[in-house]
Amino acid sequence: CGFIRDLTEEKAHQAAILEKQLAAENLSKELQANQNIIMGILDAAFHALFVINEKCIIQMVNKKSCEVFGWTQEEFIGKNINLIMPDHVAVNHNHYMKHYLETGVKNMIGTQREVTARRKDGSTFPCILGLSETQQSGMICGFIRDLTEEKAHQAAILEKQLAAENLSKELQANQNIIMGILDAAFHALFVINEKCIIQMVNKKSCEVFGWTQEEFIGKNINLIMPDHVAVNHNHYMKHYLETGVKNMIGTQREVTARRKDGSTFPCILGLSETQQSGMICGFIRDL
């Protein structure tokens, strides 16, 4: 006696199951490959990146996040994102997310804002937080740019600016003091550089010669000399700078000076060289 059981449907069912298993395995491999590609892209990012779900639980995190915050990827995954927030922010964060899910009102999503973040060691730092919502999945992606070095650089620049401003004020104050002293002098006074250009002049000079301080500053000192002297003065200065031979400096001598109106007058000229700056100071006493 023989029994025969038709296995057609059973074999077809097994084949269908095997086909689904293979399809599932291929899909799993494809998903894993995509996951690896995504993580490769995220790990190449310059800034920390987190992906969280609607319950604020971290789903993905890149290597930069671990470097910036101090936790490992394994420590991050499955934790609430408020892990990286100061206590006063962390305590309300889930409420903010719940309010967004219920109302759809986006306070932070789609924006960038400066916030404070917390590292594993408890220290905090300023950063820029940018949030966006992934399509369909409902996941929220956050990029975090550490501003620590940028803020330090800005602070250093500000400190230098303040120092420069204070120095400028101090120099201006000194300049005012110097000009006050020079303006109190009984005689005309000029300060020139090595190119014979007038750098400072007192009020008495303006009174004696007829030019204003604005007209004097930046002009060659030969402005106040008769033509036959003026034509050679730059040569005299060049000779002194090259040789160090002082014909006039450190002495007093009677010379002739010229006023703005072209008239000339006799005067005593006394010259001295200021230390370090190389400026030459000349006093002129009208005779």
Side-chain angles (χ1 to χ4, degrees):
C1 178
F3 288 93
I4 296 173
R5 182 162 63 88
D6 189 351
L7 296 178
T8 303
E9 291 185 6
E10 189 175 332
K11 289 290 186 181
H13 181 63
Q14 289 175 348
I17 292 173
L18 182 60
E19 185 177 352
K20 288 180 180 179
Q21 286 176 337
L22 290 173
E25 288 175 6
N26 290 334
L27 181 60
S28 177
K29 289 178 182 179
E30 186 176 347
L31 288 173
Q32 185 59 51
N34 288 339
Q35 185 85 346
N36 292 339
I37 292 171
I38 292 170
M39 285 308 303
I41 294 170
L42 300 186
D43 285 338
F46 292 118
H47 306 303
L49 181 143
F50 295 86
V51 176
I52 65 171
N53 64 15
E54 71 284 353
K55 293 182 179 180
C56 304
I57 303 303
I58 300 170
Q59 306 297 301
M60 296 175 70
V61 62
N62 68 349
K63 289 180 179 178
K64 188 66 177 179
S65 299
C66 303
E67 179 185 326
V68 170
F69 287 92
W71 284 281
T72 65
Q73 286 181 308
E74 291 73 19
E75 289 174 320
F76 268 130
I77 301 301
K79 298 295 193 306
N80 194 298
I81 192 64
N82 62 17
L83 182 73
I84 66 169
M85 302 173 189
D87 292 339
H88 68 281
V89 178
V91 70
N92 292 314
H93 186 260
N94 285 4
H95 170 71
Y96 299 149
M97 176 64 86
K98 182 180 178 183
H99 180 263
Y100 163 63
L101 292 172
E102 290 176 351
T103 65
V105 176
K106 300 178 179 180
N107 291 322
M108 286 284 288
I109 294 174
T111 67
Q112 292 188 10
R113 188 178 298 181
E114 184 173 334
V115 298
T116 300
R118 180 177 62 183
R119 302 184 184 93
K120 185 177 182 178
D121 63 9
S123 62
T124 58
F125 63 96
C127 62
I128 294 293
L129 171 63
L131 296 177
S132 62
E133 188 175 15
T134 59
Q135 292 182 351
Q136 297 178 336
S137 70
M139 298 285 191
I140 292 175
C141 178
F143 280 93
I144 294 174
R145 179 163 65 89
D146 187 351
L147 294 178
T148 303
E149 290 186 6
E150 190 173 325
K151 290 285 185 181
H153 182 61
Q154 289 174 351
I157 291 174
L158 181 60
E159 185 177 353
K160 288 180 181 178
Q161 287 176 337
L162 290 173
E165 288 173 9
N166 289 335
L167 180 60
S168 177
K169 290 177 182 177
E170 186 177 346
L171 288 173
Q172 186 60 51
N174 289 338
Q175 185 88 344
N176 292 339
I177 292 170
I178 292 169
M179 286 308 302
I181 294 170
L182 299 186
D183 285 339
F186 292 119
H187 306 302
L189 181 144
F190 295 86
V191 177
I192 66 171
N193 64 16
E194 72 283 354
K195 294 182 179 179
C196 304
I197 303 301
I198 300 170
Q199 306 297 302
M200 297 175 70
V201 60
N202 68 350
K203 289 180 180 178
K204 189 67 177 179
S205 299
C206 302
E207 180 185 325
V208 170
F209 287 90
W211 284 280
T212 66
Q213 285 181 310
E214 291 73 19
E215 288 173 321
F216 269 131
I217 301 300
K219 300 294 193 304
N220 195 296
I221 193 63
N222 62 18
L223 182 73
I224 66 170
M225 300 173 190
D227 291 340
H228 68 281
V229 178
V231 70
N232 292 315
H233 186 262
N234 284 5
H235 171 70
Y236 299 149
M237 176 63 88
K238 182 180 178 183
H239 180 263
Y240 162 62
L241 292 173
E242 290 176 349
T243 65
V245 176
K246 300 178 180 180
N247 293 321
M248 286 283 290
I249 294 173
T251 68
Q252 292 187 12
R253 187 179 297 182
E254 184 175 335
V255 297
T256 300
R258 180 177 60 183
R259 301 184 183 95
K260 184 176 182 180
D261 62 10
S263 62
T264 60
F265 63 96
C267 62
I268 294 295
L269 171 64
L271 296 176
S272 63
E273 188 174 15
T274 59
Q275 292 183 350
Q276 297 178 336
S277 69
M279 298 286 189
I280 293 175
C281 177
F283 280 93
I284 295 173
R285 179 164 63 88
D286 188 353
L287 296 176

